[in-house]
Amino acid sequence: MGVTDVSALTAALFGPRFGEVHEPWRRLFASEPFRDNADLSPDDRMRRSYERLRYVDKSVRSVEDLVSDVESLTALHEWACPVDCGTTMLAGIHYNLFLGSLHDHTPHELRSLRDYAPLQRTGTFLCTELAHGNSAADLETTAVYDPLTACFDLHTPHPGARKFMPNTSAIGGPKTAVVAARLIVDGEDEGVFLFLTPLSDESGPLPGVEIRWLPERMGSPIDHCLTGFDHVRLPRHALLESERGRILPDGSFAGGVERRRRFLYSIGRVTEGKLCMSATSLGGTRAALAIAIRYAHTRRTSGLTQVAGGSVPLFAYRSHHARLLDALATVYAATLLHRTTVRQWAAHTAHDRGQAENLVAIAKGWITWQCRDVLIECRERCGAQGLFLVNGLADFLTGSELPITAEGDNLPIWLKAAGKMLLRDPLPPPPPAPAPALTSPRFLHHLMVCLEHIWDRRARAAFERCADPHPLNRWNAATNPALELVAAHAQRLAGDALLNAAADVPDATGQDLPQPGVPDATGQDLLHLLHRIFALRRISPHSGSLMAAGHLSAEHVEQFPIVLDEAIARLAPYALLLVDAFAIPEEILRRYPIARLPEKSDQSDPGALLIELSGHG
């Protein structure tokens, strides 16, 4: 393929359902209602996010189809984030956590999802409590069932049991929630269930609903509040039931599984939420990388006069473009890992649900952490212009913190994943190495497999070495190598996803990438170079461990920086093409002044952009 043909790379990144799943959201968020980039007060930004959520809702043909199609649901988050992180978060809460929870429970005939379309009442999700951040299974809000009136009494027993951070203020209009509470039947605690609970109307909170604003947080403003209940009466059908637990006609309780499994089922939408949070991070990070790489091609700086003369684009310097190409390799790998994880979750069965949930947790932690690192790099590479909110990067960066925490803090969910990995059988020894060339994708893959095996062995050995009988002390002894195991596993999966994508891209020539300046390169060549950069960066810090295990030689270690530098030099001419493959519409990129290419923005006057930023352009 010619270097101007990015369709193969776009297809590799977004998969065969691009036209069906991604294109409608891509068009929507490039449309007029989402183009305003005015500097507003926090309250006005919140109102604008809710207004935009209503535009999103008008475009949804079937809420049932949306909440049951995880690919479409995550795609919504990918394309919304480059435009408005606030709208993205509201959409995740309303469509996934609220409507998705209603969809997954019975009885549908009493609460059709169509009751919430068009969006006249915004849905929200109340689970986490102030005193139970990472221990939601221990939450203390209660819903006591009265068989005489067939009603529940929803109550917050003390201030620490107030629901923490839901968007429950009057901004955005009337709201309804699904509230996680302990179901009490005939004096027995039957575990945590969800209850459909109206919170407010046009006049404000309903009787018994207590809402208190939380302090302003970093990132796009959302109306986060503390929310409590003072003996709020709910009808019998407010309980979201399933075969795992229900109230029988005689008022007794029937539960098919133990209480913890009921809780996990009740909040099952948090798993899709992890995928949505990962998609949010990826959408914002791809936009930030496109902005930073474009700006690096238009921002000029003094050149080496004896070589270039005058000024050159900042991207011409290896010190600048190497960091952005590292970021580009990471974002390609992270995007493709997300695609793989979404597909596996969409195809999971009851038999392999636990394995699929563990993969979602691992991918969420790795992707959101990697995205934050990339966003920091992009912001720094844009210098002072990266600090202005109007250029997007600062907003994307502060917004990246929420996905790291939402739907489970990354570190606790990785610790849980590490424990599950150590409960399985030990990884088998790696197979024999292919030809040991650092330019070989197969050899680089082999090294990443070896690295995962090393940390699996070390984590198990650390656990066994600890003679302390206390389980916590034994776990602490293994924690650090166990977390390294999770990281090695995640990056190996990301590398695999990148190689699989390369294998699926037609190779027009079967040859390696030509030297810079030659006008043709295959998509497969470019993806292999991205994989080489990605793998070498992940392997290099562990080269000593790989040498000690006999997987690398001293000569390999000496060659690492040389091979990496060659890959960066060969990929640099194609940076703009690789971000063009993100398919971000110009209508979105034009919102951010430093992302405008020369024909759209006069970069010759160093004061022109500052004048534009100040609103006097």
Side-chain angles (χ1 to χ4, degrees), residues 268-313:
R269 273 284 159 167
V270 168
T271 300
E272 278 89 347
K274 289 180 172 66
L275 293 169
C276 292
M277 291 299 97
S278 302
T280 298
S281 289
L282 285 167
T285 304
R286 287 198 300 266
L289 195 50
I291 292 167
I293 288 178
R294 281 180 167 218
Y295 186 45
H297 280 80
T298 58
R299 180 185 179 189
R300 302 188 72 83
T301 188
S302 298
L304 300 176
T305 55
Q306 66 271 33
V307 177
S311 65
V312 295

Side-chain angles (χ1 to χ4, degrees), residues 25 206 541:
W25 298 123
L206 296 174

Side-chain angles (χ1 to χ4, degrees), residues 215-518:
E216 185 178 352
R217 65 157 175 82
M218 63 190 299
S220 295
I222 299 292
D223 53 323
H224 294 298
C225 300
L226 287 174
T227 306
F229 303 96
D230 184 14
H231 297 290
V232 173
R233 303 289 284 178
L234 298 175
R236 164 72 184 77
H237 64 262
L239 173 65
L240 273 59
E241 296 180 307
S242 73
E243 67 278 4
R244 293 162 177 81
R246 65 178 68 250
I247 292 179
L248 301 176
D250 64 1
S252 63
F253 177 81
V257 296
E258 50 90 17
R259 289 194 304 173
R260 177 161 179 80
R261 291 180 64 190
R262 290 178 208 148
F263 165 71
L264 294 175
Y265 180 80
S266 292
I267 66 164
R269 273 284 159 167
V270 168
T271 300
E272 278 89 347
K274 289 180 172 66
L275 293 169
C276 292
M277 291 299 97
S278 302
T280 298
S281 289
L282 285 167
T285 304
R286 287 198 300 266
L289 195 50
I291 292 167
I293 288 178
R294 281 180 167 218
Y295 186 45
H297 280 80
T298 58
R299 180 185 179 189
R300 302 188 72 83
T301 188
S302 298
L304 300 176
T305 55
Q306 66 271 33
V307 177
S311 65
V312 295
L314 195 58
F315 193 83
Y317 282 91
R318 183 64 47 83
S319 58
H320 198 90
H321 67 239
R323 292 169 178 266
L324 290 175
L325 291 173
D326 281 349
L328 198 57
T330 297
V331 168
Y332 263 76
T335 297
L336 292 164
L337 173 60
H338 188 258
R339 302 279 177 254
T340 300
T341 306
V342 168
R343 286 194 296 269
Q344 290 195 25
W345 178 252
H348 84 272
T349 63
H351 175 71
D352 62 1
R353 182 183 177 95
Q355 181 180 351
E357 285 179 333
N358 215 40
L359 173 60
V360 170
I362 291 170
K364 186 259 187 182
W366 189 81
I367 289 168
T368 55
W369 270 327
Q370 296 299 311
C371 284
R372 179 173 61 184
D373 289 347
V374 169
L375 287 164
I376 291 171
E377 193 67 63
C378 290
R379 207 295 303 157
E380 290 189 13
R381 299 286 66 75
C382 291
Q385 297 290 5
L387 298 172
F388 288 95
L389 292 179
V390 74
N391 284 324
L393 296 164
D395 203 24
F396 294 143
L397 178 55
T398 54
S400 72
E401 298 294 341
L402 190 58
I404 287 171
T405 299
E407 320 299 23
D409 282 331
N410 281 359
L411 186 58
I413 66 174
W414 263 30
L415 286 167
K416 182 179 178 182
K420 289 184 177 180
M421 292 179 74
L422 292 181
L423 287 174
R424 70 186 184 189
D425 292 335
L427 291 176
L438 293 179
T439 56
S440 164
R442 290 184 60 222
F443 182 59
L444 293 174
H445 163 77
H446 171 77
L447 292 176
M448 296 181 83
V449 170
C450 293
L451 190 59
E452 186 177 352
H453 178 263
I454 286 170
W455 286 112
D456 184 73
R457 175 174 52 79
R458 287 177 175 175
R460 294 173 190 278
F463 190 80
E464 293 300 323
R465 273 197 311 272
C466 183
D468 194 312
H470 196 287
L472 176 59
N473 292 337
R474 295 190 72 192
W475 173 240
N476 281 339
T479 291
N480 287 336
L483 288 172
E484 290 283 0
L485 166 62
V486 177
H489 181 65
Q491 64 194 24
R492 194 264 298 167
L493 292 176
D496 288 352
L498 193 44
L499 282 182
N500 291 336
D504 290 339
V505 172
D507 183 358
T509 66
Q511 303 296 318
D512 200 0
L513 184 66
Q515 294 299 317
V518 177

